[in-house]
Amino acid sequence: MMKAIRSVVAVLAGVMLTTLAIASSNSDDAIRERIKPAGSVCIQGEECAAASGAASASASGPRSGEDVYNSFCGACHGVGVLGAPKKGAAADWAPRLEKGFDSVLANAINGINAMPPKGTCGDCSDEELSEAIKFMSN
Ligand code: HEC
């Protein structure tokens, strides 16, 4: 009789230990770790985008002014949204370029009025922005 009770207690203890083990592997942290997404979304203009952009820029070299213009600047500078100087419109660009290319570039980098900083190309280098400006103002 005592032997039977002892073996029942042993089995119960075993079941409890197993339950504890399962419970601890299902702690919130363990679950979070198991179901975490494989990748993370990076929104343009955030620092993570800049980091991945730096990697892709070094892999493929700087983008051309035309590429940057088509991807980032054309939406506004194509038709002159909010008074943006239009692509290829010498009359729009001449008074701006009068103050010197460097200050025009600086305004493109920092943004000016409705012109967003870097023209929304958060991972553009100064050189890429400069090429895009030359492309537009030509
Ligand atoms: C959301 C619309 C928008 C986008 C996108 C945009 N721009 Fe502009 N940009 C403007 C507006 C509006 C102005 C006129 C700002 C002013 O002088 O009031 C402007 C002005 C400029 C100027 C003239 C600055 C000066 O000193 O007069 C440069 C250079 C320029 N943009 C470059 C760029 C480049 C390069 C891109 C793409 C990488 C770009 N912009 C994308 C709206 C935009």
Side-chain angles (χ1 to χ4, degrees), residues 53-132:
S56 65
S58 62
S60 57
R63 291 160 286 193
S64 72
E66 183 173 1
D67 282 351
V68 171
Y69 170 83
N70 286 333
S71 307
F72 299 100
C73 324
C76 294
H77 286 271
V79 292
V81 172
L82 301 167
K86 290 188 286 298
K87 179 189 177 308
D92 286 3
W93 285 100
R96 294 178 184 271
L97 290 169
E98 250 168 33
K99 60 188 176 242
F101 190 84
D102 283 352
S103 63
V104 172
L105 175 62
N107 285 339
I109 293 168
N110 300 319
I112 174 173
N113 301 324
M115 160 74 193
K118 292 191 166 195
T120 68
C121 181
D123 64 351
C124 265
S125 65
D126 294 358
E127 186 197 333
E128 287 170 321
L129 289 171
S130 151
E131 288 304 312

